[in-house]
Amino acid sequence: MNVAGIIAEYNPFHNGHLYHLTEAKKAANADYLIVVMSGNFTQRGIPACLDKFTRAECALACGADVVLELPFCYATGSAEYFAEGAVTIFDKLGCVDS
């Protein structure tokens, strides 16, 4: 079983994101895709244009198998904190291969 992880905001989800999900799954030869996504606030600290539940539903409908929320303190932080929070989640899951 091969699991790929994607870090995203999907603000809003669009065809480029669909392409990214599809190609990432192919490139990683992944059986499953786990997305870590910011919640109701984006990295810029502003409210997302759609709520986190709607954005997660879009990701799930377009190929993600699981969508997890990046905690607020990471989601609204600088790029290094944003990435650190998401990568830490993947690491703690213990199942993400790429």
Side-chain angles (χ1 to χ4, degrees):
M1 180 174 65
N2 199 12
V3 179
I6 294 178
I7 303 167
E9 286 194 316
Y10 299 146
N11 188 38
F13 193 93
H14 55 70
N15 286 338
H17 295 130
L18 171 60
Y19 179 80
H20 180 237
L21 285 171
T22 304
E23 293 302 309
K25 191 169 187 174
K26 284 184 202 173
N29 194 26
D31 301 301
Y32 300 99
L33 286 175
I34 298 175
V35 174
V36 172
M37 184 186 78
S38 56
N40 287 323
F41 290 87
T42 68
Q43 190 178 7
R44 293 165 203 82
I46 60 172
C49 63
L50 296 171
D51 67 271
K52 63 187 176 184
F53 301 108
T54 302
R55 293 179 2 252
E57 285 176 10
C58 290
L60 292 168
C62 291
D65 295 293
V66 175
V67 179
L68 303 173
E69 183 176 356
L70 182 63
F72 177 84
C73 60
Y74 295 108
T76 58
S78 67
E80 67 184 323
Y81 290 118
F82 190 96
E84 179 185 354
V87 170
T88 298
I89 291 170
F90 289 142
D91 183 55
K92 296 296 181 186
L93 288 172
C95 66
V96 177
D97 303 299
S98 58

